[in-house]
Amino acid sequence: MNVRGHFSIVFAGYFIACAAAHSPPPQPTIVQNSAPSGGGYSIFHETMADMTYPEIEAAAKRHAILLWPMGVIEEHGPQLPLGTDIYNAYAMMKQVAHLLKVKAKDVLIAPPMYWGINDATGAFAGSFNVRPSTLRAIIEDTFASFRKDGFETVYMITGHRDRLHNQVIVEGVAAANASTGMHGFVVIPPIMRERLGLTGTEPHVVITEAPPAPASPPRYLEVHAGGQETSILWYNFRALVKTDLLPKLPDTKFGPDDLAEWRKGGATARAKTPMGYLGDPSSASLQRGEQAFHGDASLLANAILKHMELSP
């Protein structure tokens, strides 16, 4: 689930609100997640999981910086897979790594982590939940593994905008830094800083710039599995989007009061959004996905780069 302010999806959450395009343009020539030689697709492609241990040891000796994408497994309407949040976070971090390498930064992508907290969508089949204590423990144990191998710094994003999920990650990173000696940082947009009640000066939090305001703000909320999120997944993992359903999924036409009701979760959220989405999936397009994806990745990369250059 992604939330960009009141009107559009953030991604990690990190981002640019694009005007809806109702007719899909020709497919872009760039395919972000090219299939491995064995066919299919993998969220481990170009991550540490595809490296050998001598390569990891060499990277640690070079003081390489780690980039860790996080997400959840949860329902995303009838048109998107349960893995949407981690697919999008992984693709985003891959692009961020590319942008940082262009700036001569030595970075590695840690294996994506896809267990988390689903408050709003928990009543739907396929929305897996872990306890906050479990999520904190996973962060601490993973940091300990990073540190054991000689790594010192990690930047994290999550493709999931649930408030509790983000709160636990922020708290978990602070605790894991203290217990392991890692320098871990959670990268979040201004809207999430506000939702969590953070000051923006927390030493383990990096705040991105706010995205430019859209030329034509959408009339209704885009929060979960709507046009923006569908577009981004469509751009990166085209075979996973049931595009034949998009014209049949009308805008939910929700406002702030509807959002507050939906965020109560459980049976209330399921009754509020029986189709499992909040927004306008029919507005999705490849062009919108390309534009939003690259805009969001630039905001993330710029925030991390600035933080790297300011850090001692």
Side-chain angles (χ1 to χ4, degrees):
M1 172 183 63
N2 293 15
V3 180
R4 186 204 297 250
H6 287 175
F7 296 104
S8 58
I9 304 281
V10 292
F11 177 85
Y14 326 140
F15 300 113
I16 287 181
C18 305
H22 292 272
S23 298
Q27 292 187 354
T29 56
I30 298 174
V31 178
Q32 295 297 328
N33 191 46
S34 55
S37 58
Y41 57 91
S42 170
I43 59 171
F44 290 148
H45 182 233
E46 296 184 7
T47 76
M48 293 169 71
D50 280 352
M51 299 170 65
T52 65
Y53 86 84
E55 292 171 329
I56 297 298
E57 289 179 342
K61 289 177 180 178
R62 298 193 310 266
H63 302 286
I65 303 297
L66 302 181
L67 306 174
W68 193 14
M70 305 182 78
V72 294
I73 304 297
E74 68 165 343
E75 70 82 19
H76 276 79
Q79 83 282 16
L80 298 179
L82 302 178
T84 291
D85 287 347
I86 192 60
Y87 286 134
N88 280 341
Y90 155 74
M92 191 71 66
M93 201 59 113
K94 218 164 91 162
Q95 179 65 10
V96 168
H98 168 74
L99 294 173
L100 293 176
K101 288 175 182 178
V102 168
K103 298 293 184 178
K105 300 300 180 182
D106 191 356
V107 296
L108 298 181
I109 303 174
M113 207 283 281
Y114 42 82
W115 299 118
I117 299 168
N118 295 310
D119 264 359
T121 64
F124 286 84
S127 293
F128 291 85
N129 262 311
V130 300
R131 290 167 292 175
S133 59
T134 301
L135 183 53
R136 292 189 189 99
I138 289 172
I139 293 170
E140 183 176 24
D141 291 349
T142 304
F143 273 29
S145 294
F146 292 155
R147 197 72 190 95
K148 177 264 297 181
D149 289 340
F151 294 102
E152 300 172 343
T153 304
V154 56
Y155 291 90
M156 303 157 63
I157 65 170
T158 176
H160 183 53
R161 294 303 140 200
D162 182 285
R163 188 199 60 78
L164 181 59
H165 175 81
N166 281 263
Q167 178 184 327
V168 171
I169 289 175
V170 170
E171 294 172 350
V173 168
N177 283 347
S179 65
T180 67
M182 279 293 291
H183 301 291
F185 306 96
V186 188
V187 189
I188 60 175
I191 187 63
M192 185 55 69
R193 178 193 66 76
E194 294 170 9
R195 286 193 69 201
L196 296 179
L198 303 175
T199 65
T201 61
E202 290 79 6
H204 55 293
V205 175
V206 176
I207 310 297
T208 71
E209 294 291 328
S216 301
R219 183 177 178 184
Y220 300 107
L221 294 179
E222 276 280 330
V223 174
H224 177 66
Q228 187 91 336
E229 193 167 21
T230 299
S231 295
I232 293 174
L233 191 76
W234 191 0
Y235 174 61
N236 287 296
F237 297 90
R238 297 173 198 174
L240 298 183
V241 179
K242 298 184 185 301
T243 54
D244 59 313
L245 294 182
L246 298 183
K248 306 171 186 177
L249 302 177
D251 194 335
T252 52
K253 297 183 179 180
F254 282 176
D257 291 343
D258 298 293
L259 176 60
E261 187 75 6
W262 179 77
R263 282 177 171 165
K264 293 178 181 178
T268 300
R270 177 131 197 186
K272 194 71 180 176
T273 57
M275 294 290 286
Y277 68 87
L278 199 166
D280 184 12
S282 67
S283 70
S285 73
L286 284 170
Q287 183 180 45
R288 181 180 182 183
E290 179 179 21
Q291 201 172 1
F293 174 78
H294 288 288
D296 291 357
S298 293
L299 286 173
L300 283 167
N302 289 342
I304 294 172
L305 182 62
K306 181 178 179 181
H307 188 266
M308 284 180 174
E309 293 175 345
L310 291 175
S311 298

mmCIF file with all atom_site columns, all heavy atoms in Angstrom, residues 207-218:
data_model
loop_
_atom_site.group_PDB
_atom_site.id
_atom_site.type_symbol
_atom_site.label_atom_id
_atom_site.label_alt_id
_atom_site.label_comp_id
_atom_site.label_asym_id
_atom_site.label_entity_id
_atom_site.label_seq_id
_atom_site.pdbx_PDB_ins_code
_atom_site.Cartn_x
_atom_site.Cartn_y
_atom_site.Cartn_z
_atom_site.occupancy
_atom_site.B_iso_or_equiv
_atom_site.pdbx_formal_charge
_atom_site.auth_seq_id
_atom_site.auth_comp_id
_atom_site.auth_asym_id
_atom_site.auth_atom_id
_atom_site.pdbx_PDB_model_num
ATOM 1  N N   . ILE A 1 207 ? 15.179 12.483 4.846   1.00 0.00 ? 207 ILE A N   1
ATOM 2  C CA  . ILE A 1 207 ? 13.930 12.958 4.249   1.00 0.00 ? 207 ILE A CA  1
ATOM 3  C C   . ILE A 1 207 ? 14.203 13.400 2.809   1.00 0.00 ? 207 ILE A C   1
ATOM 4  O O   . ILE A 1 207 ? 15.120 14.178 2.555   1.00 0.00 ? 207 ILE A O   1
ATOM 5  C CB  . ILE A 1 207 ? 13.345 14.157 5.041   1.00 0.00 ? 207 ILE A CB  1
ATOM 6  C CG1 . ILE A 1 207 ? 13.295 13.833 6.544   1.00 0.00 ? 207 ILE A CG1 1
ATOM 7  C CG2 . ILE A 1 207 ? 11.970 14.518 4.510   1.00 0.00 ? 207 ILE A CG2 1
ATOM 8  C CD1 . ILE A 1 207 ? 12.402 12.700 6.917   1.00 0.00 ? 207 ILE A CD1 1
ATOM 9  N N   . THR A 1 208 ? 13.406 12.917 1.885   1.00 0.00 ? 208 THR A N   1
ATOM 10 C CA  . THR A 1 208 ? 13.544 13.344 0.492   1.00 0.00 ? 208 THR A CA  1
ATOM 11 C C   . THR A 1 208 ? 12.934 14.731 0.306   1.00 0.00 ? 208 THR A C   1
ATOM 12 O O   . THR A 1 208 ? 12.201 15.232 1.162   1.00 0.00 ? 208 THR A O   1
ATOM 13 C CB  . THR A 1 208 ? 12.830 12.386 -0.468  1.00 0.00 ? 208 THR A CB  1
ATOM 14 O OG1 . THR A 1 208 ? 11.415 12.532 -0.314  1.00 0.00 ? 208 THR A OG1 1
ATOM 15 C CG2 . THR A 1 208 ? 13.227 10.937 -0.222  1.00 0.00 ? 208 THR A CG2 1
ATOM 16 N N   . GLU A 1 209 ? 13.212 15.331 -0.813  1.00 0.00 ? 209 GLU A N   1
ATOM 17 C CA  . GLU A 1 209 ? 12.502 16.543 -1.201  1.00 0.00 ? 209 GLU A CA  1
ATOM 18 C C   . GLU A 1 209 ? 11.052 16.183 -1.514  1.00 0.00 ? 209 GLU A C   1
ATOM 19 O O   . GLU A 1 209 ? 10.744 15.050 -1.910  1.00 0.00 ? 209 GLU A O   1
ATOM 20 C CB  . GLU A 1 209 ? 13.143 17.176 -2.437  1.00 0.00 ? 209 GLU A CB  1
ATOM 21 C CG  . GLU A 1 209 ? 14.550 17.718 -2.214  1.00 0.00 ? 209 GLU A CG  1
ATOM 22 C CD  . GLU A 1 209 ? 14.557 18.936 -1.307  1.00 0.00 ? 209 GLU A CD  1
ATOM 23 O OE1 . GLU A 1 209 ? 13.562 19.700 -1.350  1.00 0.00 ? 209 GLU A OE1 1
ATOM 24 O OE2 . GLU A 1 209 ? 15.531 19.119 -0.557  1.00 0.00 ? 209 GLU A OE2 1
ATOM 25 N N   . ALA A 1 210 ? 10.160 17.134 -1.358  1.00 0.00 ? 210 ALA A N   1
ATOM 26 C CA  . ALA A 1 210 ? 8.764  16.912 -1.742  1.00 0.00 ? 210 ALA A CA  1
ATOM 27 C C   . ALA A 1 210 ? 8.657  16.895 -3.264  1.00 0.00 ? 210 ALA A C   1
ATOM 28 O O   . ALA A 1 210 ? 9.380  17.631 -3.946  1.00 0.00 ? 210 ALA A O   1
ATOM 29 C CB  . ALA A 1 210 ? 7.879  18.010 -1.167  1.00 0.00 ? 210 ALA A CB  1
ATOM 30 N N   . PRO A 1 211 ? 7.788  16.078 -3.809  1.00 0.00 ? 211 PRO A N   1
ATOM 31 C CA  . PRO A 1 211 ? 7.613  16.062 -5.263  1.00 0.00 ? 211 PRO A CA  1
ATOM 32 C C   . PRO A 1 211 ? 6.940  17.338 -5.744  1.00 0.00 ? 211 PRO A C   1
ATOM 33 O O   . PRO A 1 211 ? 6.205  17.987 -4.982  1.00 0.00 ? 211 PRO A O   1
ATOM 34 C CB  . PRO A 1 211 ? 6.709  14.852 -5.497  1.00 0.00 ? 211 PRO A CB  1
ATOM 35 C CG  . PRO A 1 211 ? 5.946  14.725 -4.221  1.00 0.00 ? 211 PRO A CG  1
ATOM 36 C CD  . PRO A 1 211 ? 6.893  15.130 -3.126  1.00 0.00 ? 211 PRO A CD  1
ATOM 37 N N   . PRO A 1 212 ? 7.175  17.718 -6.987  1.00 0.00 ? 212 PRO A N   1
ATOM 38 C CA  . PRO A 1 212 ? 6.472  18.889 -7.523  1.00 0.00 ? 212 PRO A CA  1
ATOM 39 C C   . PRO A 1 212 ? 4.966  18.658 -7.517  1.00 0.00 ? 212 PRO A C   1
ATOM 40 O O   . PRO A 1 212 ? 4.494  17.540 -7.712  1.00 0.00 ? 212 PRO A O   1
ATOM 41 C CB  . PRO A 1 212 ? 7.006  18.988 -8.959  1.00 0.00 ? 212 PRO A CB  1
ATOM 42 C CG  . PRO A 1 212 ? 8.248  18.174 -8.983  1.00 0.00 ? 212 PRO A CG  1
ATOM 43 C CD  . PRO A 1 212 ? 8.070  17.094 -7.968  1.00 0.00 ? 212 PRO A CD  1
ATOM 44 N N   . ALA A 1 213 ? 4.223  19.706 -7.279  1.00 0.00 ? 213 ALA A N   1
ATOM 45 C CA  . ALA A 1 213 ? 2.766  19.591 -7.320  1.00 0.00 ? 213 ALA A CA  1
ATOM 46 C C   . ALA A 1 213 ? 2.317  19.334 -8.751  1.00 0.00 ? 213 ALA A C   1
ATOM 47 O O   . ALA A 1 213 ? 2.862  19.915 -9.695  1.00 0.00 ? 213 ALA A O   1
ATOM 48 C CB  . ALA A 1 213 ? 2.125  20.871 -6.792  1.00 0.00 ? 213 ALA A CB  1
ATOM 49 N N   . PRO A 1 214 ? 1.356  18.446 -8.960  1.00 0.00 ? 214 PRO A N   1
ATOM 50 C CA  . PRO A 1 214 ? 0.881  18.166 -10.312 1.00 0.00 ? 214 PRO A CA  1
ATOM 51 C C   . PRO A 1 214 ? 0.192  19.372 -10.916 1.00 0.00 ? 214 PRO A C   1
ATOM 52 O O   . PRO A 1 214 ? -0.427 20.179 -10.204 1.00 0.00 ? 214 PRO A O   1
ATOM 53 C CB  . PRO A 1 214 ? -0.100 17.003 -10.115 1.00 0.00 ? 214 PRO A CB  1
ATOM 54 C CG  . PRO A 1 214 ? -0.550 17.131 -8.696  1.00 0.00 ? 214 PRO A CG  1
ATOM 55 C CD  . PRO A 1 214 ? 0.623  17.666 -7.936  1.00 0.00 ? 214 PRO A CD  1
ATOM 56 N N   . ALA A 1 215 ? 0.308  19.514 -12.223 1.00 0.00 ? 215 ALA A N   1
ATOM 57 C CA  . ALA A 1 215 ? -0.323 20.635 -12.922 1.00 0.00 ? 215 ALA A CA  1
ATOM 58 C C   . ALA A 1 215 ? -1.840 20.601 -12.752 1.00 0.00 ? 215 ALA A C   1
ATOM 59 O O   . ALA A 1 215 ? -2.491 21.638 -12.613 1.00 0.00 ? 215 ALA A O   1
ATOM 60 C CB  . ALA A 1 215 ? 0.049  20.600 -14.399 1.00 0.00 ? 215 ALA A CB  1
ATOM 61 N N   . SER A 1 216 ? -2.390 19.392 -12.770 1.00 0.00 ? 216 SER A N   1
ATOM 62 C CA  . SER A 1 216 ? -3.835 19.219 -12.589 1.00 0.00 ? 216 SER A CA  1
ATOM 63 C C   . SER A 1 216 ? -4.069 18.224 -11.456 1.00 0.00 ? 216 SER A C   1
ATOM 64 O O   . SER A 1 216 ? -4.108 17.010 -11.683 1.00 0.00 ? 216 SER A O   1
ATOM 65 C CB  . SER A 1 216 ? -4.494 18.714 -13.875 1.00 0.00 ? 216 SER A CB  1
ATOM 66 O OG  . SER A 1 216 ? -4.266 19.612 -14.941 1.00 0.00 ? 216 SER A OG  1
ATOM 67 N N   . PRO A 1 217 ? -4.172 18.706 -10.220 1.00 0.00 ? 217 PRO A N   1
ATOM 68 C CA  . PRO A 1 217 ? -4.347 17.785 -9.087  1.00 0.00 ? 217 PRO A CA  1
ATOM 69 C C   . PRO A 1 217 ? -5.580 16.904 -9.270  1.00 0.00 ? 217 PRO A C   1
ATOM 70 O O   . PRO A 1 217 ? -6.632 17.382 -9.697  1.00 0.00 ? 217 PRO A O   1
ATOM 71 C CB  . PRO A 1 217 ? -4.535 18.733 -7.894  1.00 0.00 ? 217 PRO A CB  1
ATOM 72 C CG  . PRO A 1 217 ? -3.916 20.022 -8.329  1.00 0.00 ? 217 PRO A CG  1
ATOM 73 C CD  . PRO A 1 217 ? -4.162 20.109 -9.802  1.00 0.00 ? 217 PRO A CD  1
ATOM 74 N N   . PRO A 1 218 ? -5.446 15.608 -8.966  1.00 0.00 ? 218 PRO A N   1
ATOM 75 C CA  . PRO A 1 218 ? -6.607 14.722 -9.087  1.00 0.00 ? 218 PRO A CA  1
ATOM 76 C C   . PRO A 1 218 ? -7.697 15.114 -8.095  1.00 0.00 ? 218 PRO A C   1
ATOM 77 O O   . PRO A 1 218 ? -7.408 15.624 -7.008  1.00 0.00 ? 218 PRO A O   1
ATOM 78 C CB  . PRO A 1 218 ? -6.031 13.335 -8.770  1.00 0.00 ? 218 PRO A CB  1
ATOM 79 C CG  . PRO A 1 218 ? -4.777 13.605 -8.019  1.00 0.00 ? 218 PRO A CG  1
ATOM 80 C CD  . PRO A 1 218 ? -4.242 14.896 -8.523  1.00 0.00 ? 218 PRO A CD  1
#
